[in-house]
Structure formats: structure tokens, C-alpha cells
Amino acid sequence: MPIISKIFEQEIFQQLYKYMNENNLISKFQSGFRPGYSTLSALIQMCDAWFNNMDNGELTGVVFFDIQKAFDSIDHNILLDKLKFYGISQMEFKWFQSYLTDRYQQCQINGFLSRKEKK
């Protein structure tokens, strides 16, 4: 069953990415999932900005975060508000709302099943 979920997630990504791209809703600085961009391209952009600041006698402060399971850390209500703000249609919004509401996670390791935890 996980392979079906992965295919489904990829299709949702493609449709949402196409919508966001066609409506110029993706920042030119977004590198995480765009074709032709990577963490390296993001680092190059940052270094260019830092060197420009140094050339102009300006200071640069930087804070880095390593957020594992980033999607799990996002407040789903904020995500839904953003989808609505960016003009996603009512039908698609209801799908995302249903997908993100009342979700539970449970693990099985060596035959032992964990408690269901609300996500």
C-alpha cells in the first residue's frame, strides 16, 4: 500500500507545483523541490549575498536549523490558511483539509504495535 500513497503524493505535488508555478507563487529563492535547484544553489545564492554585504561593509547574521520531518512540524491550520490565501479551489481545499485533519500515526516493530498518536 505505501507505493500507492507515494504515487498519489507525487501526483498531488505535480498538480500543486504546476498551479503555484503558473501563478508565480513560488519565490525565486525557493530551492528545495524545484527542478534545476538544490541545496547547493541555495548555498551559492546565500554566499553571493554575504560577499556583497562584506564588499559593502555590512554585517550578516545567519541562523541555520536542521528540521527533521519538516512536514510533521507544520501547523496544518496555517498550511490550510495559506492554501486558501493562494487561491486553491474549494474542492481541492476540502481534499487537503480532509487529508490533514484527524490523522493518526502508529508503528509496528518486531511484532509490537505502538499507541495511536494524533498528528
Side-chain angles (χ1 to χ4, degrees), residues 52-68:
N52 284 335
N53 287 351
M54 285 191 294
D55 289 344
N56 295 325
E58 299 174 1
L59 295 175
T60 300
V62 180
V63 176
F64 291 98
F65 292 99
D66 181 11
I67 303 175
Q68 292 182 332

Side-chain angles (χ1 to χ4, degrees), residues 10-27:
Q10 186 61 33
E11 181 60 29
I12 296 298
F13 166 78
Q14 293 296 332
Q15 290 181 26
L16 189 57
Y17 179 76
K18 181 180 177 192
Y19 172 82
M20 300 288 281
N21 213 24
E22 287 175 351
N23 291 285
N24 297 316
L25 298 172
I26 300 174
S27 167

Side-chain angles (χ1 to χ4, degrees), residues 31 36-47:
S31 294
Y37 293 85
S38 66
T39 53
L40 180 59
S41 59
L43 184 58
I44 290 169
Q45 286 177 339
M46 289 186 304
C47 287

